[in-house]
Amino acid sequence: MQSLFVLLTLALCGTGLCNLHELQTDFGLRVFSEAARSSPDQNLALSPYGITSVLGMAQLGAYGNTLNTLTAHMGYSLQERGIPRQQRMLQRDLASEEGVELASGVMVDRKLFLEKSFRRGLAKGFQAMPHQLDFSQPEVALKIINAWVSDHTAGMIPQFLPSGAFGDQTRLVLLNAMHFHGLWKAPFDPKMTQHMLFHGANGSTVSVPMMRSTQKFNYGDFVTPDGVDYDVIEVPYEGDSLSMLLVSPFERDAPLSALLGELRSHRLQEWKQEMRKVNRQLALPRFAIDAELDLKSTLSRMGLGDIFSQTKADFSRITTEEPLCVSKVLQRVKLEVNEEGTKGSSATAAIIFSRMAVEEITLDRPFLFLIKHKHTGAVLFMGQVNQPQEH
């Protein structure tokens, strides 16, 4: 049984061309919502952009029913005419932002022949060119790839994949790395940071360093179809192109899970349209998250189970030499939020085998966060904080 290992995104957050970014954002939000339902009381972080990138790369190599499944559940196909160019433009727009670094790479086993159309799609959509590795020496290959990951996440993820990650069946690793380091437009004054009690999702309380800032924020209060009231407040980074959205139920005993249905691209657009500049004092805990996710069960529950099937998966647009299927989709996200700003990195992997005082808003209870690119709407990172932990 041969395998293809697809390492996808590493970072510190009928299809029309005009809304590709909206469809990608919507799919990434749905993946997070599904993953969060399985971890209602835990801290969680995910890179929606990373997930759509890795599955987008795999989608370029899909054929037949597998392509249809991916297209149906992701909402678009990168094999459609003009879509890879749109993907490249999105990646270019993100990479042009101050504090955002993007890089793509394709590590191919020296014995594997890639189909010309797949290589062309990777180049056109992700500006990724194949480089040969010898996966018959798995630890050497692992060292090279982990070094690449470390280099493109500013050292935040030095050891993404453990020893033994590659075997005789590994054939290909697709790499797309993103690192984010954003300074707040108006930094929090460290002198204002004080310890306060945070009321966790499991009923516990813990003392955490709470940062404070009084200024004009974009703010809105909304209500879910089930009648749960919640606040959304936007904290901009320098340059105003990126911001963090903080989302929390108004009532302390309302669970975060009550808000997961609101995480849709069109709802984010409604937030943007309805939020207004208001004077508020924001109290936000300092926090750090280091999350590792195996998304195979999450994606299977979303209807993508066939891509993992040794009998049903069809990735013959990658190569016709041997049948392939996805084995695992893994992601690691590291994020640190403090008075100065935010830095984060994520790593996503899909392993593919052969078929064979003002009024105060105090986030002293669980909340959601989204780091969003305003121009494209792309969500680089998002997560839920049930109990803040410092780095």
Side-chain angles (χ1 to χ4, degrees):
M1 178 184 292
Q2 309 308 321
S3 79
L4 162 70
F5 187 95
V6 184
L7 179 75
L8 217 56
T9 302
L10 322 141
L12 175 233
C13 236
T15 301
L17 295 181
C18 61
N19 62 352
L20 174 64
H21 60 275
E22 292 178 14
L23 294 169
Q24 287 189 338
T25 296
D26 200 54
F27 178 71
L29 293 173
R30 284 187 282 122
V31 173
F32 175 83
S33 298
E34 187 61 44
R37 287 190 179 94
S38 302
S39 308
D41 298 330
Q42 298 175 13
N43 291 343
L44 178 67
L46 183 140
S47 171
Y49 181 81
I51 296 300
T52 57
S53 294
V54 70
L55 291 180
M57 284 178 153
Q59 195 190 78
L60 287 170
Y63 188 70
N65 288 335
T66 299
L67 176 61
N68 293 338
T69 296
L70 284 165
T71 300
H73 290 90
M74 295 178 73
Y76 58 91
S77 171
L78 284 174
Q79 290 189 23
E80 284 188 31
R81 186 178 182 87
I83 297 293
R85 178 181 179 276
Q86 193 76 3
Q87 170 65 43
R88 186 177 75 251
M89 299 296 282
L90 170 61
Q91 186 165 295
R92 186 201 66 182
D93 285 349
L94 293 175
S96 68
E97 293 296 339
E98 185 74 25
V100 177
E101 180 192 351
L102 281 172
S104 297
V106 183
M107 310 296 185
V108 186
D109 186 81
R110 63 184 184 181
K111 297 184 291 293
L112 185 72
F113 175 79
L114 295 180
E115 290 295 307
K116 191 174 182 179
S117 60
F118 181 63
R119 285 187 280 118
R120 187 165 54 237
L122 288 173
K124 190 175 292 186
F126 297 92
Q127 295 181 295
M129 303 298 291
H131 296 277
Q132 289 190 337
L133 283 184
D134 185 359
F135 285 108
S136 67
Q137 299 184 50
E139 293 305 306
V140 175
L142 182 74
K143 187 175 181 180
I144 292 171
I145 289 172
N146 275 344
W148 191 95
V149 170
S150 182
D151 287 346
H152 290 97
T153 58
M156 284 191 74
I157 304 179
Q159 295 293 329
F160 172 47
L161 297 171
S163 179
F166 301 143
D168 294 340
Q169 302 164 353
T170 305
R171 287 295 176 269
L172 178 67
V173 180
L174 305 178
L175 297 158
N176 178 270
M178 179 174 61
H179 176 70
F180 170 64
H181 188 187
L183 300 177
W184 301 123
K185 184 178 181 181
F188 292 80
D189 184 351
K191 294 177 184 175
M192 298 292 291
T193 299
Q194 298 177 339
H195 272 75
M196 290 181 60
L197 287 181
F198 186 94
H199 303 269
N202 58 4
S204 65
T205 57
V206 61
S207 179
V208 301
M210 196 73 75
M211 310 183 297
R212 290 180 180 276
S213 177
T214 301
Q215 57 179 288
K216 285 190 176 294
F217 292 100
N218 273 333
Y219 168 82
D221 51 85
F222 303 91
V223 61
T224 71
D226 294 330
V228 177
D229 293 296
Y230 64 97
D231 297 318
V232 180
I233 190 166
E234 182 176 28
V235 188
Y237 294 101
E238 272 188 352
D240 278 323
S241 294
L242 293 139
S243 64
M244 177 180 284
L245 295 174
L246 298 163
V247 187
S248 182
F250 186 75
E251 298 293 339
R252 184 175 289 170
D253 57 356
L256 278 185
S257 57
L259 303 184
L260 295 179
E262 298 289 276
L263 297 177
R264 297 292 183 267
S265 180
H266 71 87
R267 196 62 168 130
L268 267 61
Q269 289 293 325
E270 291 172 6
W271 292 350
K272 180 179 178 180
Q273 292 166 7
E274 296 179 28
M275 291 167 73
R276 296 292 180 265
K277 284 275 189 185
V278 295
N279 205 33
R280 291 286 186 273
Q281 181 178 104
L282 171 65
L284 171 68
R286 257 193 337 238
F287 67 92
I289 294 181
D290 186 347
E292 296 183 67
L293 293 172
D294 182 340
L295 292 166
K296 180 176 180 178
S297 60
T298 297
L299 294 171
S300 294
R301 289 195 301 271
M302 293 175 67
L304 289 164
D306 282 3
I307 69 173
F308 301 102
S309 170
Q310 294 192 31
T311 58
K312 295 179 181 178
D314 184 348
F315 288 97
S316 55
R317 287 186 187 270
I318 294 177
T319 183
T320 55
E321 291 183 342
E322 49 200 13
L324 305 169
C325 71
V326 176
S327 171
K328 295 179 181 179
V329 176
L330 309 171
Q331 185 172 83
R332 183 171 181 185
V333 173
K334 293 184 73 172
L335 226 114
E336 300 170 15
V337 175
N338 59 28
E339 286 86 351
E340 293 182 349
T342 305
K343 64 177 180 178
S345 292
S346 78
T348 311
I351 304 174
I352 300 181
F353 287 90
S354 164
R355 229 152 48 185
M356 334 227 280
V358 175
E359 182 177 342
E360 179 173 300
I361 299 169
T362 302
L363 293 177
D364 61 354
R365 56 197 180 280
F367 61 91
L368 301 170
F369 66 88
L370 300 90
I371 297 177
K372 188 168 174 284
H373 184 237
K374 293 185 181 180
H375 175 60
T376 62
V379 178
L380 307 188
F381 299 95
M382 67 186 302
Q384 63 184 24
V385 178
N386 281 296
Q387 184 166 312
Q389 297 171 343
E390 289 197 81
H391 178 63

